[in-house]
Amino acid sequence: MSEDSFSYTSERFADLQLLRYRLNGFEQLSVGQKRLVYYLSKATLYGRDITFDQFGRYNLRIRKMLEAVYTDLTIDHTTPEFQALETYLKRVWFSSGIYHHYGSEKFVPAFSEDYLRQCLQQVDARRLPLGENESVDELCHQLFPVIFNPDVLPKRVNKADGEDLVQTSACNFYQGVTQAEAEQFYAQKKQQAGEEAPSFGLNSTLVKRDGRVEEHVWSANGKYANAIRHIVYWLRRAAEVAENDRQKTVIETLISYYETGDLKLFDDYSIKWLQTTDTRIDFINGFIEVYGDPLGLKGSWEGLVEYVDEAATHRTQTISSNAQWFEDHSPVDPRFRKPVVKGVSANVICAAMLGGDEYPSTAIGINLPNADWIRARYGSKSITISNITDAYNKAAHGNGFKEEFICDARMLELIEKYGDVCDDLHTDLHECLGHGSGQLLPGVDPDALKAYGNTIEEARADLFGLYYIADKKLVELGLTPDGEAYKAQYYTYMMNGLMTQLVRIEPGRQIEEAHMRNRALIAHWCLEQGNAVQLVKKAGKTYVEITDFETLRGLIARLLAEVQRIKSEGDFEAARQLVERYAIKVDPELHQEVLERYRRLNLAPYKGFINPMLLPVYDRDGNIADIQISYSESYAHQMLRYSSEYATLI
């Protein structure tokens, strides 16, 4: 795809729209930096099978079985059932398994068991993921209930209050253990550790065998060994072309962690990584975020390769250089503020390659490391991904969404003028400062909030950003153009939390995903407190109305103070009550209305990305002399290529 023909939008299926992102400024990188991006990208793509396996124990076999059917030329590709199978497979690719990437519910196939069985009987058995001496009938007997029976492993991550979250979740982090056994196992580990305890459980499967609970560690010599060894190989190549010795040490420490599975080495790597801020190229690679585990302990594998967007980074550096001012003026109890904010760094970056749990759907901002004690002692590193947000904005331009859900002409004008700027700024505040703000009281377990921890943490960071985006300090710093701009963010945030994010929920279901719960919690709590925010009816349609923006900011300050108290004190019961009351339930009548209005717009509620192809150009000596970029690969071609080229697990 040439520069002139580049299009941000690609194909659409089910509830998904595929986009492309451009590698703006990549040509300005040196040859050495391009080589580094290429090697790190290979390390990013080799973790793909790990994520599939983590998200469900049958995912890899189901994917490989369906790919064999999809690529078989003896099967008629024009029938409705084949097309339904194609859509199902594309959803499996997108979600790294058979569960929705956001809602966690199992996909419902629109093709029959008989049809799939007939297809499998046509396919050359050597192309199917059969075990030794396993027949096609035996493969069907094992996998068909998982695919077709709605009662078998129905949800990847279950967070329903009062249920055994481990035994009712299909994610592949636990085998044969109960929630109580898992919590007791890690509680004992924490009791024996000091204040700088590693993130126990982050890189292991917890298994019960012969009555004994034990961990199977993910390492180059343990579970996922073949995939991790490939990752390590490309990390070694990357270390050879590192930009400086500090970056080389970071990569080598990550390699040591992968080889041993020692979580103390992961902490060592995390500290060195966040302290290395003088490079143009950076990366994330490993078992990082814990949203995919109902207990919030196990890290899903993810990869991201990035390079600094130097022009846009001025914004985040302005924020991070004033981190102490923001902390000191936070509306939370002074006991919960950090006396000294350490090591806050922030960049706006361009993504060069997405992998694992960051692909095809990806975050727009990231703040790491996650360990509270490392944040407190050493700080954190934040990124906002400019070319991803740019792709979202370009794809959304002129789609009619704002006009449908905003009836106030003055507010629509504000959002058109300031919306994108304020969205980026809120993400910066959330990632750069929100997650790194505040402190736990001495002796408080970082995991004390258990299944509610992720939602409370995301709410805390969002509230921090919402509170400060309205502050005159941002005008003084040149981050917002005037004292009116923040109103665009307040309106779109409340509209999203109260209404429009419901387009991502199927009728009859509740809110499951932590970020969605966080937004619902904030918006519904503010709605309940008085008249600053209201839902009003006009011409038979529901709209958000904000009558007093200053009062709303005061409500946000109050809620931020309470959420920080809950986090700092480890108040599980208060977290449970707040989330259960405000963050989960859906008004069915409003939900139906929002779905109907959105459906008429013919938009996909979820977006994801096709990676660019990085094509090395070699000189006469066989060395990489340049990296060319191609945006021409289709979604299906990329997924099938990845399944072939980066296949590491059976």
Side-chain angles (χ1 to χ4, degrees), residues 4 25 99 142 164 166 168 198 202 245 269 281 296 299 309 321 340 359 413 424 458 546-547 552 608 610-611:
D4 293 337
Y99 301 93
Q142 181 184 68
D164 187 311
V166 167
T168 58
L202 187 68
D245 288 341
Y269 152 75
I281 313 301
D309 181 338
S321 65
V340 179
Y359 168 81
E413 181 183 345
D424 288 344
E458 292 304 323
I546 299 178
T547 59
L552 179 55
I610 300 172
N611 279 326

Side-chain angles (χ1 to χ4, degrees), residues 424-479:
D424 288 344
L425 185 55
H426 183 257
T427 300
D428 293 339
L429 291 166
H430 174 112
E431 299 294 350
C432 301
L433 302 181
H435 280 308
S437 67
Q439 62 180 354
L440 301 180
L441 293 183
V444 172
D445 183 353
D447 299 316
L449 304 184
K450 300 180 182 179
Y452 300 104
N454 289 334
T455 298
I456 291 296
E457 176 57 23
E458 292 304 323
R460 192 176 71 89
D462 259 4
L463 286 162
F464 192 98
L466 288 170
Y467 177 75
Y468 276 116
I469 201 169
D471 201 288
K472 62 182 181 181
K473 180 73 171 180
L474 271 65
V475 180
E476 295 173 7
L477 293 173
L479 297 171

Side-chain angles (χ1 to χ4, degrees), residues 333-346:
D333 189 313
R335 295 181 301 144
F336 309 142
R337 298 179 195 152
K338 286 180 177 174
V340 179
V341 177
K342 300 178 181 178
V344 175
S345 66

Side-chain angles (χ1 to χ4, degrees), residues 31-97:
V31 172
Q33 289 171 327
K34 290 178 180 179
R35 289 174 182 168
L36 179 58
V37 167
Y38 178 73
Y39 295 145
L40 290 172
S41 295
K42 299 289 280 188
T44 291
L45 295 174
Y46 265 111
R48 181 173 182 251
D49 278 0
I50 297 176
T51 310
F52 270 88
D53 189 73
Q54 289 181 318
F55 287 2
R57 63 183 299 186
Y58 300 102
N59 281 339
L60 279 172
R61 297 193 79 199
I62 290 172
R63 188 195 80 196
K64 293 177 180 182
M65 176 183 69
L66 294 175
E67 287 172 344
V69 172
Y70 180 66
T71 56
D72 193 288
L73 299 180
T74 68
I75 295 172
D76 186 351
H77 288 202
T78 65
T79 67
E81 285 214 290
F82 182 87
Q83 291 166 3
L85 182 144
E86 179 181 32
T87 298
Y88 183 88
L89 175 57
K90 288 180 176 180
R91 297 185 76 182
V92 169
W93 284 332
F94 192 96
S95 297
S96 297

Side-chain angles (χ1 to χ4, degrees), residues 332 336 449 455-461 463 521-522 557-569 578:
V332 307
F336 309 142
L449 304 184
T455 298
I456 291 296
E457 176 57 23
E458 292 304 323
R460 192 176 71 89
L463 286 162
L521 188 162
I522 293 170
R558 279 176 51 197
L559 185 56
L560 174 56
E562 172 60 7
V563 167
Q564 182 63 63
R565 183 199 67 78
I566 290 171
K567 170 84 172 182
S568 294
E569 295 181 351
L578 200 59

Side-chain angles (χ1 to χ4, degrees), residues 117-168:
R117 189 183 302 272
Q118 291 169 11
C119 290
L120 292 172
Q121 290 170 348
Q122 286 183 240
V123 174
D124 185 340
R126 291 172 296 182
R127 299 182 60 238
L128 295 172
L130 299 173
E132 188 174 356
N133 299 321
E134 185 180 25
S135 68
V136 172
D137 284 342
E138 289 170 330
L139 179 70
C140 295
H141 179 75
Q142 181 184 68
L143 298 185
F144 277 25
V146 182
I147 296 172
F148 294 102
N149 189 333
D151 297 322
V152 175
L153 303 174
K155 184 175 289 187
R156 178 167 65 91
V157 183
N158 180 34
K159 295 186 178 181
D161 189 31
E163 298 183 11
D164 187 311
L165 303 185
V166 167
Q167 295 198 328
T168 58

Side-chain angles (χ1 to χ4, degrees), residues 624-650:
I624 293 178
D626 197 7
I627 299 292
Q628 292 184 348
I629 302 170
S630 172
Y631 303 104
S632 62
E633 194 168 30
S634 71
Y635 175 67
H637 185 277
Q638 182 161 105
M639 289 298 184
L640 290 171
R641 180 171 66 85
Y642 285 1
S643 292
S644 174
E645 188 172 344
Y646 301 104
T648 56
L649 304 179
I650 296 175

